[in-house]
């Protein structure tokens, strides 16, 4: 009864489509046995509609709370909704080892679905963050039965996001570790820890060596955290079986992508979008003014996801059963072997799936209402825009660093470098930006961090007219350091008429002598890829480029010694100089969009 009331209130509050049915049968804790015998706990929300397609959600975050409401809302739209706890979470057996079992467990779940009497031969997938990654783990092998994907704030690979700029995303990873472990403690104990401000997590983020940080944060040693500290180099074989970006060409289903400008996975998700476009696909892309866990992202994903699934999954009138008429629903606690995937029961480790080769030619996908790409342009006078593709046509405009902390489009002039001292014992703090926790992420006033002596800034004159910047951003920085090992963090800000400095996008690169040799003068040239952007700088505002030696704890501090990531304890400070003369023209490169572009207000 409460579930029905909650769904009615949600439909009204979130302006969702009217329910096709209110009669939903829910079966909880179905024991689905994987090929290795592990039980994967699964819930099934069944609408009273014939031949309804299926939506699959696999998650390590539990099947209750908001997910319970989401499943009912989707079922009321006419979908069988199957939600499964990833192994090692929420009652499922085995041990949770990120990315390791998701392909095989997903295939076993799909094989189970195909043998249910209510299976109509078509399914879609939905989910955010890790729930999206498990979609990519399965998608290449799902065959023609997979008709649609809704990938929210996620990517086919998380390796590059974990080691952005070949540093380590300490805040994101350790916060996620703590979140997963918190699901195993009593609810009241968790609420008390949150009320206290998570002091154990705060202590862990500042702790050295990092190999002890998981135990400081959670009280236990977390095996995958230890492995991520050991296998952090680009050449590490560890990640080869844990990423799926090399199999995108096998994905046949149309994909909707939803993300935010301050999401931790946005650069990787846009690489997935570009790869699918290069293969001839037409994915749907929505990027809004959201952070990774913001309520606005959830609402937009729910609306867009239900619409996408409704468009691409067959309705009850068009769905054609593809399973034998004798197939029956499996009991919640079946006799031994009856819920095991059919080929596994035959004594093999392979699950029967349709053969999948290169992407086949398919009928053109229906064009989404408003265009294939929809973005929110931040700043005064921005708003939602429709694009035919991402990124839009833009003019790459260099804003050069000048003397007296000036930022200009004019060519650089002869000038001495600007310098600062970076001390990893008192690391430059991170402030806002793309973080896992929504309450601490996004745009914030950067003046407190800009007042520090270890942060340099260059600021433009007040703009005489609006300036729209939409697309990828990078900074080309010429730096000289007395240490061989150091970081370069660059951030673009919008300074309003009151002098507040709001972060728009940023990026960091970790420097070591093997990857970044110096020239004859000891200078290193560093290209810093920054987060993509869609922002309108208003007339009277100013652009500001911020540069420092780190952003802790978002990125782990660089100890300056070259010691291994997990065991480093020695901290060495050092002086560095930023050069900006005609021979070494440090600059930020902005994609400026003019009024004649293909942007369409929506």
């Amino acid at each position: 009864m409460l579930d029905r009331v909650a769904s009615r209130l949600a439909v009204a509050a979130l302006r969702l489509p009217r329910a096709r049915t209110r009669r939903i049968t829910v079966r909880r804790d179905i024991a689905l046995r994987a090929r290795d015998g592990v039980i994967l706990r699964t819930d099934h929300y069944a609408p009273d509609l014939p031949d309804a397609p299926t939506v699959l959600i696999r998650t390590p975050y539990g099947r209750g709370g908001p997910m319970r409401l989401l499943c009912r809302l989707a079922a009321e739209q006419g979908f069988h909704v199957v939600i499964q706890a990833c192994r090692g979470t929420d009652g499922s057996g085995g041990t949770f080892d990120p990315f390791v079992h998701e392909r095989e467990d997903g295939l076993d779940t799909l094989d189970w679905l195909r043998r249910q009497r209510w299976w109509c031969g078509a399914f879609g997938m939905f989910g955010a963050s890790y729930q999206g990654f498990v979609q990519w783990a399965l998608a290449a092998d799902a065959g023609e039965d997979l008709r649609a994907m809704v990938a929210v704030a996620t990517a086919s690979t998380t390796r590059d996001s974990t080691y952005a700029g070949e540093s380590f995303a300490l805040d994101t990873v350790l916060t996620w570790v703590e979140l997963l472990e918190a699901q195993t403690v009593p609810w009241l104990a968790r609420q008390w820890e949150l009320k206290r401000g998570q002091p154990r997590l705060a202590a862990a983020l500042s702790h050295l060596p990092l190999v002890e940080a998981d135990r400081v944060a959670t009280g236990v040693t977390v095996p995958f955290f230890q492995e991520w500290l050991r296998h952090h180099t680009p050449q590490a074989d560890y990640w080869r079986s844990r990423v799926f970006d090399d199999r995108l060409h096998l994905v046949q289903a149309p994909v909707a992508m939803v993300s935010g400008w301050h999401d931790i996975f946005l650069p990787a998700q846009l690489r997935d979008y570009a790869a699918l476009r290069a293969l001839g696909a037409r994915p749907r892309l929505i990027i809004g003014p959201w952070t990774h866990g913001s309520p606005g992202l959830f609402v937009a994903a729910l609306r867009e996801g239900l619409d996408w699934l409704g468009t691409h999954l067959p309705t009850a009138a068009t769905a054609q059963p593809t399973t034998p008429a004798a197939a029956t629903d499996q009991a919640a606690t079946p006799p031994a072997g009856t819920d095991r995937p059919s080929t596994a029961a035959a004594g093999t480790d392979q699950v029967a799936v349709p053969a999948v080769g290169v992407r086949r030619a398919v009928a053109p996908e229906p064009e989404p209402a408003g265009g294939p790409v929809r973005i929110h342009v931040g700043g005064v006078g921005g708003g939602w825009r429709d694009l035919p593709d991402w990124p839009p046509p833009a003019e790459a405009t260099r804003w050069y660093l000048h003397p007296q902390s000036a930022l200009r489009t004019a060519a650089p002039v002869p000038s001495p470098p600007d310098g600062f001292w970076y001390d990893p014992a008192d690391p430059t703090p991170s402030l806002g930006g793309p973080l896992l926790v929504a309450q601490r992420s996004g745009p914030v006033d950067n003046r407190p961090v800009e007042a520090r002596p270890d942060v340099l800034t260059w600021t433009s004159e007040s703009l005489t007219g609006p300036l729209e910047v939409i697309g990828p951003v990078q900074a080309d920085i010429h730096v000289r350091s007395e240490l061989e090992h150091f970081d370069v963090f660059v951030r673009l800000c919008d300074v309003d008429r009151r002098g507040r400095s709001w972060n728009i996008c940023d990026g960091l690169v970790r420097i070591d002598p093997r990857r970044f040799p110096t020239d004859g003068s000891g200078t290193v040239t560093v290209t810093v890829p920054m987060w993509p952007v869609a922002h309108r700088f208003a007339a009277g505002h100013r652009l500001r480029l911020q540069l420092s030696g780190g952003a802790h704890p978002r990125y782990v501090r660089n100890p300056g010694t070259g010691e291994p990531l997990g065991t480093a304890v020695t901290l060495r400070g050092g002086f560095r100089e930023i050069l900006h003369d005609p021979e070494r023209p440090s600059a930020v490169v902005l994609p400026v969009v003019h009024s004649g572009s293909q942007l369409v207000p929506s």
Side-chain angles (χ1 to χ4, degrees):
M1 179 62 180
L2 290 178
D3 287 348
R4 295 193 193 99
V5 172
S7 69
R8 289 178 182 271
L9 292 175
V11 167
L14 305 180
R15 302 192 302 278
L16 298 176
R18 179 181 299 177
R20 293 185 59 198
T21 179
R22 295 287 183 185
R23 299 183 60 179
I24 307 298
T25 302
V26 183
R27 297 176 58 236
R28 304 192 191 282
D29 285 326
I30 300 169
L32 192 157
R33 187 176 291 113
R35 66 188 71 187
D36 59 357
V38 167
I39 296 298
L40 303 175
R41 291 295 171 181
T42 305
D43 297 345
H44 175 208
Y45 294 71
D48 66 340
L49 298 172
D51 297 327
T54 299
V55 173
L56 174 63
I57 302 171
R58 301 191 62 253
T59 177
Y61 305 126
R63 293 161 288 155
M67 296 308 300
R68 186 167 176 166
L69 175 60
L70 185 151
C71 291
R72 175 165 286 273
L73 290 171
E76 290 177 351
Q77 293 298 316
F79 305 113
H80 286 279
V81 180
V82 174
I83 181 170
Q84 182 180 92
C86 294
R87 67 169 59 206
T89 69
D90 193 27
S92 288
T95 301
F96 180 66
D97 194 353
F99 321 127
V100 174
H101 302 285
E102 307 308 350
R103 177 180 176 273
E104 288 76 13
D105 287 352
L107 286 171
D108 291 353
T109 303
L110 178 55
D111 188 73
W112 178 85
L113 287 172
R114 286 170 172 152
R115 292 183 289 110
Q116 304 310 302
R117 63 188 177 192
W118 40 264
W119 171 256
C120 79
F123 82 109
M125 293 190 287
F126 179 95
S129 194
Y130 195 90
Q131 300 165 356
F133 178 84
V134 300
Q135 296 182 55
W136 290 116
L138 172 61
D141 298 310
E144 295 180 350
D145 289 352
L146 178 59
R147 306 291 180 84
M149 295 171 57
V150 182
V152 182
T154 190
S156 62
T157 171
T158 62
R159 192 270 163 198
D160 291 343
S161 301
T162 302
Y163 307 105
E166 295 309 321
S167 179
F168 183 62
L170 176 63
D171 185 279
T172 290
V173 173
L174 198 56
T175 300
W176 192 57
V177 166
E178 194 272 346
L179 182 152
L180 291 171
E181 289 297 318
Q183 296 179 156
T184 66
V185 304
W187 185 84
L188 284 177
R190 177 58 177 169
Q191 298 311 305
W192 175 244
E193 181 70 9
L194 292 173
K195 184 177 178 61
R196 295 171 63 220
Q198 297 177 277
R200 293 192 302 171
L201 176 59
L205 289 170
S206 299
H207 185 82
L208 290 176
L210 286 182
V211 291
E212 299 173 354
D214 53 348
R215 195 159 58 250
V216 173
T218 68
V220 298
T221 298
V222 180
F224 77 80
F225 179 77
Q226 299 293 321
E227 291 171 345
W228 291 8
L229 293 178
R230 288 195 298 270
H231 304 290
H232 62 88
T233 62
Q235 300 80 20
D237 289 336
Y238 172 88
W239 288 96
R240 297 188 190 278
S241 61
R242 292 167 169 81
V243 297
F244 293 90
D245 55 335
D246 61 344
R247 308 186 79 228
L248 292 179
H249 64 285
L250 301 177
V251 178
Q252 302 175 57
V255 182
M257 299 180 173
V258 186
S259 190
W261 292 117
H262 290 272
D263 182 68
I264 55 179
F265 296 126
L266 178 61
Q269 188 158 21
L270 287 177
R271 285 194 291 270
D272 285 345
Y273 173 85
L276 291 173
R277 289 291 293 117
L279 291 166
R282 296 291 290 173
R284 171 80 159 139
L285 177 64
I286 301 96
I287 312 176
W290 308 308
T291 58
H292 188 71
S294 62
L297 177 64
F298 174 81
V299 173
L302 185 57
R303 289 177 185 160
E304 180 70 27
L306 290 176
D307 179 70
W308 189 258
L309 293 168
T311 298
H312 293 280
L313 287 179
T315 64
T318 60
Q320 297 297 321
T322 60
T323 53
T328 59
D329 201 1
Q330 303 298 319
T333 54
T338 58
D339 65 342
R340 185 186 298 273
S342 55
T343 53
T348 73
D349 284 338
Q350 301 300 317
V351 174
V353 295
V356 181
V358 297
R359 175 183 290 273
R360 294 192 295 273
V362 295
E365 300 167 7
E367 195 72 17
V373 177
R374 192 165 189 251
I375 64 170
H376 185 272
V377 179
V380 179
W384 287 98
R385 310 286 180 84
D386 290 325
L387 305 174
D389 206 351
W390 174 267
E395 178 184 352
T397 304
R398 289 184 171 270
W399 287 75
Y400 293 100
L401 280 55
H402 279 257
Q404 286 78 54
S405 301
L407 187 67
R408 299 172 181 152
T409 55
V413 297
S415 57
D418 293 306
F420 65 95
W421 175 274
Y422 177 78
D423 182 5
D426 179 25
T428 312
S430 56
L431 199 60
L435 296 170
L436 184 66
V437 178
Q439 294 88 335
R440 295 189 287 111
S441 56
V444 297
D445 186 354
N446 274 238
R447 285 180 295 179
V449 74
E450 290 171 355
R452 289 176 57 103
D454 56 358
V455 178
L456 301 179
T457 62
W458 290 263
T459 308
S460 73
E461 298 290 338
S462 296
L463 297 172
T464 58
L467 178 70
E468 285 197 351
V469 178
I470 303 175
V473 179
Q474 72 177 48
D476 297 326
I477 305 299
H478 301 268
V479 57
R480 193 157 50 213
S481 170
E482 64 176 307
L483 301 179
E484 290 184 317
H485 299 271
F486 60 97
D487 291 347
V488 177
F489 177 74
V490 183
R491 168 169 278 184
L492 176 68
C493 296
D494 181 348
V495 183
D496 64 21
R497 293 175 182 269
R498 294 171 54 186
R500 296 173 299 182
S501 181
W502 303 97
N503 54 292
I504 306 303
C505 65
D506 53 42
L508 178 142
V509 169
R510 174 150 292 195
I511 309 300
D512 71 61
R514 291 167 297 181
R515 295 175 57 233
F516 292 91
T518 61
D519 64 13
S521 65
T523 302
V524 175
T525 300
V526 185
T527 295
V528 182
M530 301 167 68
W531 251 244
V533 66
H535 189 79
R536 181 181 173 92
F537 294 86
H541 286 213
R542 293 173 292 159
L543 284 68
R544 175 169 294 164
L545 194 69
Q546 183 188 118
L547 197 149
S548 62
H552 185 268
R554 178 178 161 196
Y555 300 102
V556 66
R557 69 187 117 188
N558 194 319
T561 60
E563 292 178 275
L565 176 65
T567 58
V569 291
T570 303
L571 301 178
R572 181 181 301 165
F575 191 75
R576 60 210 59 172
E577 296 178 318
I578 308 302
L579 297 92
H580 42 71
D581 51 55
E583 289 74 31
R584 290 153 296 194
S586 295
V588 60
V589 186
L590 303 182
V592 175
V593 174
H594 301 288
S595 57
S597 71
Q598 301 179 47
L599 294 169
V600 180
S602 55

